[in-house]
Amino acid sequence: MSLLPSRVTRDPLCLVLVLIGAVTVLTGVCQLIAPGPILDLLSVDSTATSRHLFATVGMFMIIIGGLLIQGLLSATPPPYLLFWAGLQKFGAFALVGIGVARDLFGPLALLWPSSTWPPPCSAG
């Protein structure tokens, strides 16, 4: 027996999106609770300001990841859900890429889950 609705488990793309949402929530919690060690891992200067702002980003990751999961698990996912969650993921990926190109972050930052782009998922 699965904790996920069968329409999600039968659709590999929906399942991937639910997993992306879960990883986004998990990494957002890590950023919120321990921003300093994560910034160190990503080769970013860790100041009180950068840690606070990184924790704030983590809070938004929790919200967007949770929204994505809840929306995909609902009986009728809202049609705008993937647009806004995808826009957030695309924007995060683009801005992290710019940060890496400007030597603000180490290349490992490109692998951090906040910079993933979800594929489309059927709502039905």
Side-chain angles (χ1 to χ4, degrees), residues 13-108:
L13 293 177
C14 279
L15 189 56
V16 166
L17 286 173
V18 169
L19 292 174
I20 287 173
V23 169
T24 300
V25 169
L26 179 64
T27 55
V29 168
C30 291
Q31 281 182 221
L32 184 63
I33 293 172
I38 307 248
L39 287 170
D40 293 340
L41 178 69
L42 300 176
S43 304
V44 178
D45 290 336
S46 182
T47 65
T49 302
S50 66
R51 288 188 301 274
H52 180 82
L53 292 174
F54 199 62
T56 302
V57 169
M59 182 267 308
F60 282 107
M61 289 174 61
I62 294 167
I63 291 169
I64 293 295
L67 174 70
L68 183 60
I69 294 167
Q70 184 177 5
L72 290 171
L73 296 181
S74 70
T76 54
Y80 51 81
L81 175 70
L82 293 179
F83 172 75
W84 287 107
L87 191 60
Q88 181 272 329
K89 293 294 183 187
F90 179 77
F93 179 78
L95 290 170
V96 169
I98 291 168
V100 170
R102 294 177 60 203
D103 290 326
L104 299 174
F105 314 127
L108 184 59

